[in-house]
């Protein structure tokens, strides 16, 4: 990506950012407590169902403080850490709750922490140990403590999105216009070599004279390349055969003569260009 394209993208991003500042912001999540309790009850239900229990009760979720909640069950249960981590994590994602939290599995009788883990928004920094070690049948409660500020992204509905849409269309339009302009410039600046009054475009397999374009085959191009590099010089027949046919399959004795004849016809409208046959030696591109 060239410097102009990068600069255009930066300008577009700045314009969009200034537009967004007017109506995008963050505010305190007033429904956090209710959503947290719903998510915990949902995870508790899925956890019991995974154990084949569809009848026992999930006890009311207790809010210990504004960031800490506790989930408990009517009956004893066996807890598979791997299953708990997955089920609880998905319930929190579905409820759009913070993705940084600490979970403790506490034995109801002793009050000891039987298992715990920490999840962070940067998953590589999460600590989830011993997920293969299942907890025995017992009475447990699940305590979760959310970390970080409880804010949600908001959009001021009094503002119209039309300015943002307009800026987007203008920005992308400018980018595509610049891309088309660059492409046209590259076409106009395609490299060519002069052969008399003709322009020879090797990469595009063509000869151009004024408004007339003559298409060339690959081998015609290869032969013309050699001739154009050494105008008015004798090119040995063996060299032409080696350069054009050596790595391109079987060479038939008359193939070179046939292609030379075809190339001659390409220049028939220009008397200043002649491909001369030097008998027993090769050919010469004679430009007067």
């Amino acid at each position: 990506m060239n410097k102009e394209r990068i600069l255009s993208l930066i300008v577009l991003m700045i314009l969009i950012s200034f537009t967004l500042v007017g109506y995008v912001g963050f505010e305190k999540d007033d429904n956090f407590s209710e959503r947290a309790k719903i998510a915990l009850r949902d995870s508790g239900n899925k956890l019991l169902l995974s154990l084949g229990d569809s009848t026992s009760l999930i006890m009311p979720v207790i809010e210990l403080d504004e960031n800490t909640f506790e989930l408990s069950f009517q009956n004893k249960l066996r807890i598979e850490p791997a299953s708990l981590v997955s089920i609880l994590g998905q319930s929190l994602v579905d409820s759009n709750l913070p993705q940084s939290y600490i979970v403790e599995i506490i034995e109801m009788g002793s009050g000891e922490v039987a298992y715990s883990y920490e999840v962070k928004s940067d998953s590589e920094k999460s600590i989830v140990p011993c997920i293969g070690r299942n907890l025995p049948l017992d009475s447990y409660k699940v305590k979760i403590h959310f970390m970080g500020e409880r804010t949600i992204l908001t959009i001021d509905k009094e503002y119209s999105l039309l300015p943002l849409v307009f800026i987007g269309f203008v920005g992308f339009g400018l980018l595509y216009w610049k891309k088309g302009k660059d492409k046209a410039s590259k076409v106009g600046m395609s490299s060519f070599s002069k052969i008399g009054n003709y322009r020879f475009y090797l990469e595009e397999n063509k000869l151009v004279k004024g408004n007339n374009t003559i298409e060339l085959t690959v081998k015609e191009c290869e032969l013309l390349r050699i001739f154009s590099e050494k105008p008015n010089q004798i090119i040995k027949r063996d060299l032409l055969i080696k350069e054009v046919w050596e790595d391109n399959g079987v060479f038939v004795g008359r193939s070179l003569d046939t292609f030379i004849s075809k190339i001659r016809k390409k220049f028939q409208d220009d008397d200043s260009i002649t491909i001369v046959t030097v008998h027993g030696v090769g050919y010469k591109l004679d430009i007067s």
Side-chain angles (χ1 to χ4, degrees):
M1 183 178 289
N2 57 37
K3 292 182 179 179
E4 291 80 2
R5 189 73 51 78
I6 294 174
L7 181 60
S8 299
L9 285 172
I10 292 174
V11 171
L12 177 60
M13 291 174 66
I14 291 174
L15 289 173
I16 292 176
S17 298
F18 276 115
T19 304
L20 286 173
V21 164
Y23 54 88
V24 175
F26 293 89
E27 64 181 31
K28 186 175 180 181
D29 186 359
D30 293 330
N31 297 319
F32 177 81
S33 176
E34 289 77 6
R35 291 189 297 110
K37 291 177 181 179
I38 292 171
L40 284 176
R41 289 195 66 83
D42 177 65
S43 62
N45 175 58
K46 291 176 179 176
L47 180 63
L48 291 178
L49 290 176
S50 71
L51 298 172
D53 183 351
S54 60
T55 58
S56 66
L57 298 178
I58 299 169
M59 307 309 292
V61 176
I62 299 174
E63 183 174 358
L64 301 178
D65 59 46
E66 65 177 9
N67 291 312
T68 309
F69 299 83
E70 193 174 82
L71 171 70
S72 57
F73 305 90
Q74 179 186 26
N75 297 332
K76 295 181 178 181
L77 71 161
R78 292 183 176 86
I79 292 182
E80 301 175 358
S83 180
L84 174 68
V85 171
S86 175
I87 290 172
L88 180 56
Q90 188 59 53
S91 292
L92 297 181
V93 169
D94 292 343
S95 297
N96 195 29
L97 290 167
Q99 293 305 295
S100 293
Y101 52 87
I102 294 174
V103 176
E104 292 180 336
I105 311 301
I106 302 172
E107 294 179 352
M108 298 282 282
S110 65
E112 298 291 332
V113 176
Y115 179 73
S116 61
Y117 65 93
E118 180 180 5
V119 172
K120 292 188 176 181
S121 54
D122 183 352
S123 59
E124 293 184 358
K125 296 182 180 180
S126 297
I127 303 174
V128 187
C130 308
I131 58 175
R133 300 178 184 275
N134 298 337
L135 303 183
L137 183 68
D138 205 339
S139 296
Y140 298 104
K141 57 184 178 181
V142 179
K143 184 169 77 172
I144 180 168
H145 175 75
F146 294 99
M147 298 180 289
E149 295 187 12
R150 305 180 326 192
T151 57
I152 56 174
L153 181 69
T154 60
I155 297 179
D156 190 340
K157 294 182 180 179
E158 294 182 1
Y159 282 82
S160 172
L161 288 175
L162 288 177
L164 181 60
V165 174
F166 175 74
I167 288 175
F169 274 117
V170 171
F172 283 110
L174 287 173
L175 288 177
Y176 278 106
W177 173 79
K178 185 69 170 62
K179 183 178 180 181
K181 187 178 179 183
D182 290 343
K183 185 176 180 181
S185 298
K186 288 179 181 177
V187 171
M189 294 173 16
S190 296
S191 61
F192 63 88
S193 56
K194 290 281 289 182
I195 302 177
N197 295 319
Y198 290 82
R199 296 194 305 274
F200 172 43
Y201 294 86
L202 175 63
E203 299 298 327
E204 299 176 35
N205 290 15
K206 67 182 181 181
L207 278 171
V208 177
K209 183 183 179 184
N211 295 324
N212 186 28
T213 299
I214 303 170
E215 301 296 331
L216 302 171
T217 66
V218 173
K219 285 186 171 54
E220 288 172 347
C221 272
E222 292 175 353
L223 288 169
L224 265 182
R225 175 185 60 79
I226 299 171
F227 284 126
S228 66
E229 290 173 353
K230 298 180 179 181
N232 300 311
Q233 298 181 41
I234 297 174
I235 312 294
K236 290 184 178 181
R237 182 183 180 89
D238 291 343
L239 175 64
L240 293 172
I241 293 172
K242 176 180 173 62
E243 291 285 331
V244 178
W245 276 274
E246 184 175 63
D247 298 324
N248 294 283
V250 179
F251 171 72
V252 179
R254 297 291 299 172
S255 295
L256 177 57
D257 301 322
T258 300
F259 277 98
I260 293 296
S261 177
K262 290 180 179 179
I263 293 174
R264 283 193 179 111
K265 292 180 180 178
K266 311 289 185 186
F267 296 109
Q268 62 186 359
D269 294 331
D270 193 334
D271 295 335
S272 66
I273 301 173
T274 307
I275 298 180
V276 179
T277 301
V278 182
H279 294 289
V281 182
Y283 300 91
K284 179 175 68 170
L285 177 65
D286 194 353
I287 304 176
S288 58

